[in-house]
Amino acid sequence: MTRQSPLTRYIVGDRFEPFATHDTIRTVSRFVADLRADRHRDDTSLVLVEGQGLTSFDWDRIRDELDRRGLADRVRIRESDAGCLCRQTETHKHRECNVLIAGLERVAESRFRAALRIHNDQELLLDHQGGHVQGMVVLEAARQMFVAVSERYYLSHQPERHYSFVLDSMDSKFLTFLFPLAAAIEYEVLSADLSDPAQLSFDVRVTFEQTGLPAATVHMVCGALDSSALAQKERRGTARALRVLGREMDPVPAG
């Protein structure tokens, strides 16, 4: 029987196969397989909603299959409006697939907002993926949010300096499952000590929201240190560690 009302499918990357168990959710490959099996031949209207893990390459694959099946005029695609990814200089990630922050904006003096964006080949997904987004992805997104906000809105006033970032503490609360669908990130600077340009410190709270509800919160105390000063501290710490390990490895003299 021909359907009269639009049929909705949420499309996610192939990596999220464990999540795609509901009738309305399909991975890219599974949806293409559905098309090739003529499962949508009688649908008069189909809406495809972008979840996590998709790229323009994936949408091109889907559009090509829709064209081949003569279904393109029946399908409306709602691609993500998350906005532009944060740049390498803002996230300190060298591969685009590992950037988790998109559409970063300032909404008040100490409040910022962005969209969570998870690539199908994000580094934390490669060895394990369950039916929801792992907590480690949330923590890494919170860390990237700290770096990106600091770089764009605080450190840009010191262009002659080069900073490195450190975490003093990170406390997280997971309130409900976060699924590989659209999600927002709210970032609030609770306090900031900018008195010493060589060592800035921040107390921040990051909230992950989905369907209008908080899914997780991360409270961090973190800092931005002059890179040369941090390098000196690291060298001293390395030398100290090597001395201690060297003493532990020395053979005990025979008595």
Side-chain angles (χ1 to χ4, degrees):
M1 184 177 69
T2 301
R3 298 178 189 271
Q4 299 300 319
S5 58
L7 182 70
T8 299
R9 288 288 181 266
Y10 293 89
I11 309 298
V12 296
D14 287 354
R15 194 78 63 182
F16 295 105
E17 176 68 34
F19 170 67
T21 57
H22 193 278
D23 288 344
T24 62
I25 304 166
R26 291 290 186 275
T27 63
V28 174
S29 293
R30 190 174 169 195
F31 180 71
V32 169
D34 285 350
L35 293 176
R36 292 175 178 174
D38 287 333
R39 292 198 175 97
H40 295 288
R41 179 181 56 190
D42 297 328
D43 294 323
T44 58
S45 181
L46 184 62
V47 179
L48 305 181
V49 181
E50 180 173 345
Q52 299 286 358
L54 271 75
T55 65
S56 58
F57 185 85
D58 295 312
W59 281 122
D60 288 343
R61 178 185 175 191
I62 290 173
R63 287 189 174 97
D64 287 345
E65 197 62 39
L66 290 170
D67 287 339
R68 277 194 289 269
R69 300 286 157 181
L71 299 174
D73 60 343
R74 306 186 204 174
V75 178
R76 181 162 58 94
I77 295 177
R78 289 172 50 189
E79 294 188 52
S80 170
D81 59 355
C84 297
L85 287 178
C86 286
R87 299 185 295 273
Q88 188 275 334
T89 53
E90 294 176 326
T91 61
H92 297 193
K93 304 303 292 185
H94 295 290
R95 299 181 62 197
E96 179 200 331
C97 61
N98 294 328
V99 176
L100 293 165
I101 308 300
L104 176 62
E105 61 177 343
R106 190 174 208 158
V107 295
E109 179 63 28
S110 59
R111 292 179 56 245
F112 307 83
R113 179 183 298 130
L116 177 67
R117 174 268 198 183
I118 307 176
H119 193 281
N120 193 62
D121 295 326
Q122 210 280 335
E123 57 189 337
L124 295 173
L125 305 182
L126 298 182
D127 195 43
H128 168 72
Q129 177 56 48
H132 61 274
V133 177
Q134 302 102 301
M136 290 306 298
V137 175
V138 172
L139 298 182
E140 169 60 12
R143 189 197 67 82
Q144 287 189 27
M145 195 72 174
F146 156 60
V147 175
V149 168
S150 298
E151 285 282 15
R152 183 182 297 188
Y153 297 103
Y154 290 90
L155 307 186
S156 58
H157 304 305
Q158 304 280 349
E160 73 284 356
R161 289 183 178 273
H162 296 281
Y163 288 93
S164 297
F165 297 88
V166 295
L167 292 174
D168 294 328
S169 66
M170 175 182 276
D171 299 316
S172 58
K173 290 183 180 180
F174 297 95
L175 308 173
T176 188
F177 290 128
L178 186 71
F179 297 109
L181 301 169
I185 307 173
E186 300 285 341
Y187 181 97
E188 183 177 5
V189 178
L190 303 175
S191 65
D193 184 352
L194 312 178
S195 58
D196 181 1
Q199 184 170 337
L200 313 179
S201 62
F202 302 89
D203 186 342
V204 305
R205 179 172 56 232
V206 191
T207 304
F208 293 79
E209 297 181 351
Q210 192 166 72
T211 65
L213 299 173
T217 60
V218 182
H219 176 221
M220 295 185 293
V221 176
C222 33
L225 279 66
D226 184 275
S227 293
S228 59
L230 180 62
Q232 291 178 8
K233 291 183 178 180
E234 289 177 332
R235 285 194 293 270
R236 291 195 298 269
T238 300
R240 182 170 58 252
L242 290 173
R243 285 195 304 270
V244 173
L245 289 174
R247 289 195 297 267
E248 292 177 351
M249 294 175 63
D250 284 341
V252 178

